[in-house]
Amino acid sequence: MEVAYLYTKVRAEFGKDIKFEDSQPETLESILPNDEFDKDYTQRNPSISEFDTTPDMSVSECNTERLVTKSTSMRHMEGGWPKDVDPSEMSDMQRFRKKAEKDEEYKTAMKLLGPMIGRCMKQNNTINIYEEYFDGVQADHSSEPPSAKGLAVFRDPNDVKRTATSINWHPEGPATNGKIAVAYSILNFQDQRFMNDTQMPVSSYIWDIMNPNTPDIELLPPSPLCCLRFNAKSTDTLVGGSYNGLVSFYDLRKPNAPEKQCMPHETSVIEKSHHDPVYDVFWISSKTGNQCASVSTDGQMMWWDTRRLGEPTDVLDLATDSKGGGMTLGGSSMEYNQEAGPTKYLVGTEQGIVLAINLRNRKSNNGITVYDSGPGKHHGPIYSIQRNPTHNKFFMTVGDWTARIWVEDLKTPIMTTKYHSSYLTSGCWSPTRAGVFYVTRMDGVVDIWDYFYRQNEVAYSHKVGEDALSTISVQGNMQSGGRLVAVGDVNGTVSLLEVCDSLASQQPNEKMAINGMFERETKQEKNLELRERDLKRQRAADEEASKKEAAEKKDGKDEKMEELLRKVDADFLAMIKEAEDDESKASEGADMGGDDK
Amino acid sequence: MSSIAEVEETLARIQSHKGVKGVLICTKSGSAVRSSLPPAETETYAALITQLALKAASVARTLDPTDDLTFLRIRSRKHEVMVAPDKEYLLVVVQNPDEGEDA
């Protein structure tokens, strides 16, 4: 059945305006009920329909802007004198005192209070109630699971986010002076943040760990600092190395500087400085305590006197000897430890090769010893190099995905960590525990290795944040500290962590055990080296022997041939004899007088 | 009834103890009356200790209104400051306990 309506119109009326008008209903088609379809009908049961009248909702979160607070205080100095007494007038005070001493109440009070104080003083003199009963008892923390917790976060106050390239703790402990000097700069070549018109902020900061809101002192170098170090001998002075190669010296006691800011006291001149960013600078031991050494990727190491930074006191090219091809290597990290030797330096290079420098024997290749440049070297720049604080002979390098431990008198590393799943960016030893070291990773994790506990796995991993970490520094020296760890990331955020006692306090026998382990590994490595040398010698000897043999080839061949012929002869004769014997046995019965002979 | 002499005697007795660095008597408002400390130290001690003692007394009274502060000892790394408060006056003694121990 089809309902169709034929619509006709003359051609001439096509496109004409349409005019609608009301009309009466008109039946076009009428369909009568059909009982046949009735049986197909089913009633829907149950019938469900939903209605919803809840209004639409959404959840969103936001943080309020960070509030910068600062603490201030007042100090009451002159004492609370009555209104009519002028504290600056001696006679007034004298008169007041005279009057007070005549006061009856004063006398009774003194009489009452005297014995009380006396009792306490006697107590103090008799027994030390604050005596440390358990002094010198070493607690065993080895059973504790390692842990770390975040204490504070220091954010670069600048809008342009720069990498925290170096952290240096104030040489005095956190009890008296918990301060960290943090250098901020962008080390990426032609970084986007350099390219736009806004000037790169140059300032670096010294933070008080108790006050994460505002920096304690702002340092204003001519170019962003890449490294910064307190002078351990005079803790108010610092030396820093800049991105453009300058070395600058700061004295925080400078009186005429505006509050909380410090301009460099002295700066080197650009013509006589490094040509690349200064990657590390160290105060070195000297009589005056003004000497420092710096290293840069331009392949130079320079020595400075901070009182006269006009030109370096000494310059050294970081080049391999003629055997190594005389290649110049860019220094990317440095280590100086007075206890290991005041003329000894270790430099980690961009090429992954370790250099040891001893100024005492400058005659042989400027005193530079080049370590393994084959399989033992890092596959990328060495970001950190540090001697073990308890065993100075051994040092650690951090680069590519591994941290390696070396001994001074061997060219190859004695221990290597497994390859981490992410690039390593820096590392350092625990100052208190001989077998513990920290490495920072590009995925925002700090890995803590405890060689006293195990050598094949990380002892503890702590996730600091999402951003790549860039530097790490642990507070303390061999005697105390080791609990506070400052970690910097690429956005200029420095996180202060506190590690648990088991990671910070020296374990019983640890020093000996670690030393034993290192010595053992050294011995193994030495033996391997020896074996390799032997093998080489053996191989050389073999080669020589085979050469000799080749020369005497002819006689040798004849002799062999002769021997072979002799053997064949003998075999042949034996075979004949056997056959003859058999034959004679067979013919014995038939022909007695056979040819037996 | 009590004379100046008795006060002097008390003070002398206190000072005769081992390790005593100084004795100071001051009013509750912080003005020093008697002192065996150098003038600059006297002023700072008087000003700071009275404030702390008053605060401590206020703490003790707030915790229990019927209570009152009778003695305050401040132990620092270098010495111990003992404060005996009264209605109007404070007796402050600075003692170096280690020195007394060594002697």
Side-chain angles (χ1 to χ4, degrees), chain A residues 305-432:
Chain A
D305 186 327
T306 50
R307 291 166 299 184
R308 287 179 302 277
L309 282 175
E311 57 181 342
T313 54
D314 199 358
V315 180
L316 181 71
D317 277 330
L318 298 171
T320 57
D321 50 8
S322 49
K323 208 166 64 183
M327 186 168 45
T328 301
L329 304 169
S332 55
S333 55
M334 179 168 57
E335 161 72 351
Y336 176 81
N337 190 331
Q338 200 189 326
E339 283 163 37
T343 57
K344 281 168 147 183
Y345 302 83
L346 292 170
V347 174
T349 62
E350 255 186 322
Q351 287 76 8
I353 299 170
V354 177
L355 304 177
I357 293 146
N358 192 347
L359 296 182
R360 209 164 271 159
N361 39 11
R362 274 195 96 154
K363 274 178 209 126
S364 62
N365 189 33
N366 279 331
I368 301 175
T369 316
V370 185
Y371 284 75
D372 193 18
S373 55
K377 77 175 186 100
H378 280 283
H379 308 303
I382 296 174
Y383 294 110
S384 294
I385 184 165
Q386 195 194 5
R387 284 180 192 274
N388 187 299
T390 24
H391 308 297
N392 289 320
K393 210 164 65 166
F394 305 97
F395 61 94
M396 172 180 70
T397 56
V398 177
D400 54 57
W401 306 272
T402 57
R404 289 162 194 237
I405 293 165
W406 309 64
V407 64
E408 261 181 351
D409 38 356
L410 267 180
K411 299 261 165 110
T412 45
I414 54 168
M415 291 178 97
T416 302
T417 65
K418 69 174 173 89
Y419 280 82
H420 288 72
S421 52
S422 166
Y423 278 110
L424 300 186
T425 52
S426 76
C428 67
W429 289 99
S430 162
T432 44

Side-chain angles (χ1 to χ4, degrees), chain A residues 68 78 123 157 182 276-277 285 358 402 468 507 523 557 561 565:
Chain A
V68 178
E78 64 181 24
Q123 203 178 57
V182 186
D276 262 356
S285 72
N358 192 347
T402 57
Q507 309 287 302
K523 205 177 272 171
K557 206 173 179 183
M561 188 58 102
L565 283 175

Side-chain angles (χ1 to χ4, degrees), chain A residues 80 97 103 116 123-124 128, chain B residues 29 32-33 70 73 89 95 101:
Chain A
R97 282 178 182 155
D103 187 0
M116 272 168 80
Q123 203 178 57
N124 277 342
N128 181 9
Chain B
S29 53
V33 178
T70 57
R73 298 171 76 155
Y89 296 96
Q95 190 191 17
E101 208 170 64

Side-chain angles (χ1 to χ4, degrees), chain A residues 272-313:
Chain A
K272 287 172 181 168
S273 304
H274 289 288
H275 311 308
D276 262 356
V278 181
Y279 274 86
D280 214 340
V281 63
F282 264 94
W283 290 97
I284 62 172
S285 72
S286 61
K287 273 188 199 119
T288 48
N290 291 316
Q291 308 275 333
C292 51
S294 63
V295 72
S296 163
T297 45
D298 65 355
Q300 290 186 98
M301 206 171 147
M302 288 181 174
W303 282 263
W304 306 88
D305 186 327
T306 50
R307 291 166 299 184
R308 287 179 302 277
L309 282 175
E311 57 181 342
T313 54

